[in-house]
Amino acid sequence: MESENEEEIITTSPQEKTMMLTKTRQYVTPYLPPPVVKTIHAIDSNPVFTSYTTEPSMAILVSTLLCFVVWNVLKIIGAVVGGGKSTLHLDDADDVLADTLATAKNRGKDGSGSGGSDKEEIVYDDTVVLCGSTGSGKTALLYQMCGSNGGLVPTVMSMKATVGYIKSSSSTVRIIDYPGHPSLSSQLPTALTSSSKKKQNPTRIIFTVDSTKPVADGAELLYSILTNATVRSFWENMVSKNNDTSKIPIVIVCTKQDVKNAKNWKRMKIQLRTELDKIRKVVLKSTKNNKSKDVNEGGGGEEILTLGVPGKTLDFEKLGEDIPVSIHFTSVSCVTGDGMDNLKEFVTSGVIVD
């Protein structure tokens, strides 16, 4: 009796599955475009597929959807698990793009990585930090400057710093592409103020903003950099140590200039200044309220760093005496290559080309 029941279960289970697939096909078919319906009919009438199941099209569709769901779940798990370790490890950052952006041993004639997987340490003379909000074109710039695939790379959300190298006739410069994900912004000062052992500290910065979108996210990140106590102290010490009266150069790169609705750097400068001014006013108001509260409660309060002169409109040329930086703007396109020569000149030599 038990064996008969088992046989019944084994023989009816595939039928139930087939019925479910049939009902699914009958339900979704009216909502599908004619070409898709035609393709489903062709698959269902093909003897190669029907030899396995009476509903081959639905079996393929369900299997594909299942694989898609599983793949995305694995990506989410990987992002969550990897996110906790997505810090900038400058000690071993040299190996991140060794096979992609080339090492001194396997660099191809076009500047891209070629040859075997053998790596050797690259000796570089300077470090440039490339940062900006998510989707502002940092990685595309990195590939363009380092000569890999013409700068045309898939749009991805990076969760780990990547490294590339650009060589001139007189020096080799390391470029650190720091991810723009908001969860990693608190670690950005580490990239701006330190380097790996026995290597050069960052001496200049490229900050990217998407010229086709609002500047709010970029302004918030830039404000956090310029008002960070650790970063400011590092800049002051570096200028003082070198007995240099010049300032740390920051180039605001307005990317995606090939897009139709892209704004040029002059318009982006105005919008970015306006947005920074809004943030500053909010911070100053909050600071004033907190100080009043601290006084009433008998506390000393913590000093909050701001930009510019209180009561006056923010001016990029007058950010404050304790901010030894000079801010410049330029427009580039990784698709057409416009503006890239000037940017490469800045990376390799530190010279600002207007």
Side-chain angles (χ1 to χ4, degrees):
M1 189 70 179
E2 292 180 358
S3 61
E4 291 179 359
N5 290 335
E6 290 179 359
E7 290 179 0
E8 184 178 355
I9 292 174
I10 293 173
T11 54
T12 56
S13 180
Q15 294 176 357
E16 291 177 354
K17 293 179 180 179
T18 301
M19 289 178 61
M20 290 177 61
L21 293 174
T22 301
K23 289 181 179 180
T24 302
R25 176 176 54 79
Q26 293 173 346
Y27 178 79
V28 302
T29 298
Y31 303 98
L32 298 176
V36 177
V37 176
K38 186 176 180 180
T39 302
I40 291 176
H41 177 71
I43 294 174
D44 289 341
S45 59
N46 192 314
V48 176
F49 296 114
T50 54
S51 61
Y52 296 98
T53 176
T54 55
E55 291 288 347
S57 60
M58 288 298 102
I60 294 172
L61 178 61
V62 170
S63 300
T64 303
L65 289 175
L66 182 61
C67 291
F68 177 77
V69 171
V70 171
W71 171 249
N72 280 276
V73 169
L74 292 175
K75 284 173 64 178
I76 293 173
I77 293 175
V80 172
V81 175
K85 299 180 180 179
S86 299
T87 57
L88 180 67
H89 299 290
L90 292 179
D91 286 338
D92 59 0
D94 294 347
D95 292 331
V96 179
L97 285 185
D99 293 332
T100 307
L101 293 178
T103 62
K105 194 169 186 177
N106 61 9
R107 182 178 293 274
K109 292 181 180 179
D110 61 349
S112 60
S114 60
S117 59
D118 293 336
K119 307 181 185 74
E120 66 178 33
E121 184 180 9
I122 297 179
V123 178
Y124 53 89
D125 307 288
D126 215 338
T127 297
V128 176
V129 176
L130 172 60
C131 56
S133 57
T134 300
S136 58
K138 297 182 297 298
T139 305
L141 274 182
L142 179 69
Y143 276 64
Q144 178 83 338
M145 289 188 291
C146 296
S148 178
N149 299 328
L152 303 179
V153 296
T155 300
V156 294
M157 183 181 291
S158 304
M159 293 297 289
K160 187 177 180 181
T162 50
V163 177
Y165 299 88
I166 181 170
K167 226 175 188 181
S168 67
S169 58
S170 58
S171 65
T172 298
V173 178
R174 182 179 68 155
I175 307 173
I176 300 175
D177 171 16
Y178 191 86
H181 195 277
S183 65
L184 302 177
S185 60
S186 61
Q187 301 170 46
L188 179 54
T190 302
L192 296 171
T193 59
S194 63
S195 186
S196 57
K197 298 175 182 178
K198 299 181 292 184
K199 300 297 181 180
Q200 297 293 326
N201 288 320
T203 59
R204 43 194 179 272
I205 300 169
I206 297 175
F207 188 92
T208 58
V209 287
D210 187 342
S211 60
T212 66
K213 296 180 180 179
V215 298
D217 291 342
E220 185 175 351
L221 181 60
L222 182 60
Y223 190 92
S224 69
I225 293 173
L226 296 175
T227 57
N228 184 278
T230 302
V231 175
R232 281 196 187 183
S233 177
F234 171 80
W235 287 339
E236 290 175 354
N237 291 336
M238 188 164 63
V239 171
S240 175
K241 184 178 179 180
N242 296 334
N243 296 319
D244 195 352
T245 57
S246 62
K247 298 181 178 182
I248 306 298
I250 300 177
V251 172
I252 310 293
V253 179
C254 305
T255 60
K256 306 180 184 180
Q257 288 296 307
D258 53 282
V259 181
K260 186 177 181 180
N261 63 334
K263 300 177 285 289
N264 60 36
W265 69 264
K266 293 182 180 179
R267 289 184 60 190
M268 292 294 290
K269 181 178 181 179
I270 295 172
Q271 292 185 6
L272 191 59
R273 182 182 61 194
T274 302
E275 197 65 33
L276 286 172
D277 212 18
K278 290 180 181 178
I279 298 173
R280 184 184 65 158
K281 290 178 181 178
V282 172
V283 172
L284 288 173
K285 184 177 180 180
S286 175
T287 303
K288 184 177 180 181
N289 294 337
N290 289 338
K291 283 185 177 180
S292 299
K293 183 178 178 181
D294 288 335
V295 170
N296 294 332
E297 295 179 354
E302 182 180 351
E303 183 182 2
I304 305 297
L305 300 179
T306 57
L307 297 177
V309 181
K312 294 187 178 181
T313 303
L314 186 67
D315 188 348
F316 282 116
E317 281 71 39
K318 298 178 182 179
L319 293 176
E321 295 181 359
D322 57 339
I323 311 179
V325 300
S326 59
I327 295 182
H328 312 266
F329 285 77
T330 188
S331 300
V332 304
S333 168
C334 287
V335 175
T336 63
D338 291 344
M340 289 304 305
D341 289 340
N342 291 347
L343 188 60
K344 287 182 180 179
E345 181 64 28
F346 169 71
V347 171
T348 55
S349 66
V351 175
I352 307 293
V353 181
D354 297 325

